[in-house]
Amino acid sequence: MAAAPLLRLSATSSLYKKNIMNKLHSTEILLKQNSKAVKVVVLSSTKTLKKNKSFFEMYKFKANYGQAVYSQIDNTIFVGSNFVKKQKSMDPFYKLDWYHLGAITAKCLNKINANSAELRTYNADFPIEDFERYVLGIMQASWHYDEYLPEDSKKSTAYSLYISDDLIKSMGKQALIKSIDKIKSLDNSIRLVRTIVNEPPETLHPYTAAELIKKTFSTKRNVSVKIYDEKWLDKNSMNGITFVGRGSRYQPRLVHVTIKPKSKPKHKVVLIGKGLTYDSGGLDIKIGGNMKTMKMDMAGAATMFGVARVASEISLNNVEVHWLSAFAENMIGPNSYKSDDIITTYSGQTVEVFNTDAEGRLTLADVLSYATTLNPDYIIDAATLTGAAIVALSDRFTAVMGNDSDLVDGLVGSFQEESEPSVYVPMPESLRSSVKGEISDLINTSKLDRQAGHITAGLFLSHFVDQNLFRNSKVKIKKPREFAWAHLDIAGSAYNNGNNSLGAVGATGQSVRGLLNWLIKLDSK
Ligand code: BES
Ligand code: ZN
Ligand code: ZN
């Protein structure tokens, strides 16, 4: 009998072959009435609906935000949108959240087993952006990662959503058609993000990730995709990526996606996402159950994948968008990199490894420096970088850091408009010395040990967007400069471990909407 092969690289069905975009459920939005469908009425006051007065009284329905009741006689779900501020604390996210209201609506629809609904009436002031958030909220809340469940226990529901005439009139048919295209693109893309974050590491690894990205953009004429393999990475001194990925049987890949507008762009943006398809910690192995969920360590890359996909579909006019992600697996084996290794990064700066579990910043270092060679106006990275971000800010908030206040403020504002919790976190210069090395330029942990690990990680990254610090003669720099850069630590916000009752356990898809909002605003500048 022949010995079993040691390395079965195609041990599982490839994600690429599964054609996941076809398998994902899809809610349809129709611009017509349907008298048989459940009506969904969003209202901020019960005054206008006098005929339902006794029903509302019976159920104590006051149209307050979060309230929802179903009237069987009218076959109508009433959803309240009147936000009454009760809390005294300063919380910019304590406000009306249309996306969340969509989730509440989906819950109601599921309760009465409805899979079609007609959005019939509305608040007089229902801006189209809120309509988008609301409908997207319904669509996302009804999606679950069902891939591995039998048919009869799948939780996802695909609805047919009918848009009533009065809504069409108030928003305008043309605007609505455009808006629906955007909603669909966002819905598909966020489902893609959530799917691949939830996908097990033996299915989604650097090779399948690269294949999936190539395939996703292959039909889009305004997009080019380049995939660089381990040989290219080695030849181009991308040693941060190479060292981290070395212990895995799946060698690392660098993905570069470019989306160009039809005419000459006014702005160039590079989006970067941490793409650790699995983070075992490496030789400094994760213990005490901390390894579980580390399939999500590529959520930064997935997020930027989602943003890039929407950007490629809604066609921005003035922004050239680049997405860069290094995909790697941080594993244990004879080839693994070690604590004590000193890595000469792509920038030429050296880093002594103090902990193989602080791997994300090593891969990001190379990608950030490579991004500067594209000479962009802005660099934004998203990364599930530190447990410290969760300890400091809970698992809801994205920590937003950076070196450019306009960029950072703009991002926090864009997230806030989408009700995606994020906070600006300063990176005090006084802490910078904590990431400096004794026998190397930098270390990959911090001398402050457990203090503000998200901030010291951010400070570490900042060295790789400043070309004044570069000393790799192979990197051609005309006039060295520091690039405008923002860093999003999404370690908490990308994944719901079960203590966030608003959404399904697992990938949240958070940040895609906020980043896209920021891009669309930049496009109009
Ligand atoms: N991927 C983890 C960070 C993480 C932790 C993300 C929990 C999501 C949930 C990262 O690579 C890591 O292990 N960071 C270490 C850094 C430390 C060794 C300096 C951490 O945060 O403990
Ligand atoms: Zn790690
Ligand atoms: Zn990690």
Side-chain angles (χ1 to χ4, degrees):
M1 203 169 66
L6 206 58
L7 293 179
R8 293 198 304 144
L9 289 182
S10 57
T12 53
S13 70
S14 133
L15 189 70
Y16 160 69
K17 283 186 193 127
K18 277 205 272 180
N19 200 359
I20 62 166
M21 286 319 285
N22 289 349
K23 282 194 120 195
L24 299 172
H25 91 129
S26 187
T27 283
E28 50 173 356
I29 308 168
L30 303 137
L31 286 185
K32 57 179 177 194
Q33 323 248 108
N34 180 347
S35 54
K36 287 203 193 98
V38 184
K39 281 152 239 140
V40 174
V41 177
V42 182
L43 65 171
S44 59
S45 161
T46 54
K47 279 192 200 118
T48 47
L49 288 168
K50 291 207 178 70
K51 80 172 176 79
N52 299 87
K53 201 170 170 239
S54 55
F55 171 79
F56 290 153
E57 270 170 12
M58 192 162 76
Y59 286 95
K60 294 199 171 71
F61 181 79
K62 296 199 175 81
N64 287 341
Y65 174 69
Q67 279 192 309
V69 283
Y70 173 61
S71 159
Q72 206 163 3
I73 303 169
D74 299 307
N75 194 24
T76 300
I77 295 173
F78 296 96
V79 182
S81 68
N82 181 32
F83 192 86
V84 193
K85 203 171 166 107
K86 287 192 212 107
Q87 235 151 279
K88 288 201 194 81
S89 65
M90 278 173 69
D91 177 4
F93 291 89
Y94 190 62
K95 63 180 179 86
L96 173 53
D97 176 355
W98 284 99
Y99 187 78
H100 180 207
L101 218 50
I104 290 170
T105 305
K107 227 178 179 176
C108 280
L109 288 168
N110 292 346
K111 230 182 201 164
I112 58 168
N113 275 323
N115 46 23
S116 64
E118 185 190 289
L119 307 185
R120 178 164 275 202
T121 189
Y122 56 94
N123 289 348
D125 55 341
F126 201 0
I128 203 152
E129 294 81 17
D130 289 339
F131 169 81
E132 286 172 4
R133 292 173 184 125
Y134 180 64
V135 174
L136 201 56
I138 298 177
M139 294 162 96
Q140 284 299 315
S142 62
W143 183 83
H144 295 260
Y145 179 68
D146 279 346
E147 192 67 37
Y148 293 84
L149 288 172
E151 247 356 280
D152 58 0
S153 49
K154 289 195 193 302
K155 288 187 242 161
S156 291
T157 329
Y159 306 110
S160 299
L161 294 180
Y162 296 87
I163 313 294
S164 69
D165 283 349
D166 48 0
L167 263 177
I168 297 173
K169 229 176 262 154
S170 96
M171 283 185 276
K173 194 159 184 176
Q174 283 318 311
L176 208 49
I177 288 171
K178 209 175 150 210
S179 178
I180 288 170
D181 282 343
K182 186 179 158 201
I183 295 172
K184 279 187 184 159
S185 179
L186 265 165
D187 181 49
N188 280 323
S189 301
I190 299 175
R191 273 190 279 122
L192 174 66
V193 173
R194 291 173 63 192
T195 302
I196 63 174
V197 171
N198 285 327
E199 203 68 33
E202 197 52 21
T203 312
L204 191 104
H205 50 68
Y207 303 167
T208 48
E211 276 174 16
L212 179 68
I213 293 156
K214 230 198 284 177
K215 184 158 188 219
T216 303
F217 291 111
S218 65
T219 51
K220 303 202 161 70
R221 276 196 292 152
N222 54 340
V223 185
S224 70
V225 179
K226 285 191 204 134
I227 313 268
Y228 299 108
D229 65 8
E230 70 274 25
K231 290 189 210 93
W232 187 93
L233 291 167
D234 186 38
K235 208 170 103 196
N236 287 279
S237 324
M238 301 250 175
N239 299 314
I241 304 170
T242 302
F243 269 65
V244 168
R246 228 171 48 182
S248 167
R249 60 189 180 137
Y250 308 117
Q251 288 302 297
R253 296 286 180 262
L254 176 66
V255 174
H256 182 181
V257 172
T258 308
I259 306 154
K260 285 196 173 157
K262 287 199 189 86
S263 49
K264 198 174 180 304
K266 285 192 210 150
H267 317 275
K268 195 196 271 191
V269 175
V270 183
L271 305 172
I272 295 173
K274 172 175 170 182
L276 265 290
T277 59
Y278 201 66
D279 180 12
S280 71
L283 288 173
D284 288 297
I285 194 163
K286 284 188 183 291
I287 52 162
N290 287 331
M291 202 186 298
K292 185 70 181 77
T293 72
M294 280 305 134
K295 65 176 185 182
M296 58 75 95
D297 214 17
M298 37 60 76
T303 302
M304 295 316 195
F305 187 6
V307 176
R309 190 179 176 280
V310 184
S312 77
E313 288 187 341
I314 63 167
S315 353
L316 301 170
N317 297 315
N318 301 311
V319 188
E320 180 175 308
V321 179
H322 293 259
W323 164 39
L324 290 170
S325 274
F327 287 92
E329 201 187 39
N330 187 19
M331 294 296 280
I332 289 190
N335 298 328
S336 295
Y337 82 123
K338 310 162 191 80
S339 274
D340 285 341
D341 272 337
I342 296 179
I343 303 174
T344 304
T345 61
Y346 177 71
S347 72
Q349 296 171 88
T350 54
V351 183
E352 186 180 4
V353 179
F354 272 63
N355 191 322
T356 62
D357 198 8
E359 81 299 332
R361 66 195 77 187
L362 297 171
T363 65
L364 284 170
D366 284 352
V367 185
L368 286 166
S369 305
Y370 184 64
T372 69
T373 67
L374 304 172
N375 204 24
D377 302 305
Y378 301 105
I379 300 174
I380 304 170
D381 79 73
T384 48
L385 204 62
T386 65
I390 308 175
V391 174
L393 303 167
S394 84
D395 68 355
R396 306 293 164 84
F397 281 82
T398 294
V400 187
M401 291 162 255
N403 62 6
D404 184 284
S405 59
D406 283 345
L407 175 60
V408 168
D409 289 349
L411 282 166
V412 171
S414 296
F415 284 128
Q416 199 172 317
E417 281 167 5
E418 299 298 340
S419 298
E420 292 185 321
S422 79
V423 277
Y424 158 68
V425 174
M427 293 195 297
E429 277 309 316
S430 54
L431 302 188
R432 189 177 290 278
S433 58
S434 74
V435 297
K436 300 276 188 199
E438 293 293 328
I439 57 170
S440 60
D441 293 314
L442 298 160
I443 60 174
N444 81 329
T445 56
S446 151
K447 287 171 209 149
L448 288 167
D449 195 23
R450 290 163 62 86
Q451 291 178 43
H454 52 314
I455 298 175
T456 52
L459 282 164
F460 175 93
L461 294 180
S462 71
H463 294 85
F464 300 90
V465 291
D466 184 358
Q467 290 181 335
N468 298 300
L469 303 170
F470 288 15
R471 51 188 170 83
N472 174 3
S473 58
K474 277 202 258 168
V475 182
K476 296 278 170 277
I477 298 169
K478 276 188 207 132
K479 225 172 146 198
R481 66 181 178 104
E482 190 178 0
F483 285 76
W485 156 75
H487 162 56
L488 312 175
D489 195 329
I490 59 166
S493 60
Y495 202 81
N496 175 11
N497 278 305
N499 45 6
N500 179 348
S501 62
L502 302 185
V505 169
T508 60
Q510 186 170 321
S511 298
V512 176
R513 294 184 300 124
L515 282 164
L516 195 78
N517 183 4
W518 181 84
L519 269 181
I520 290 172
K521 279 194 269 188
L522 180 67
D523 195 47
S524 65
K525 274 182 199 158

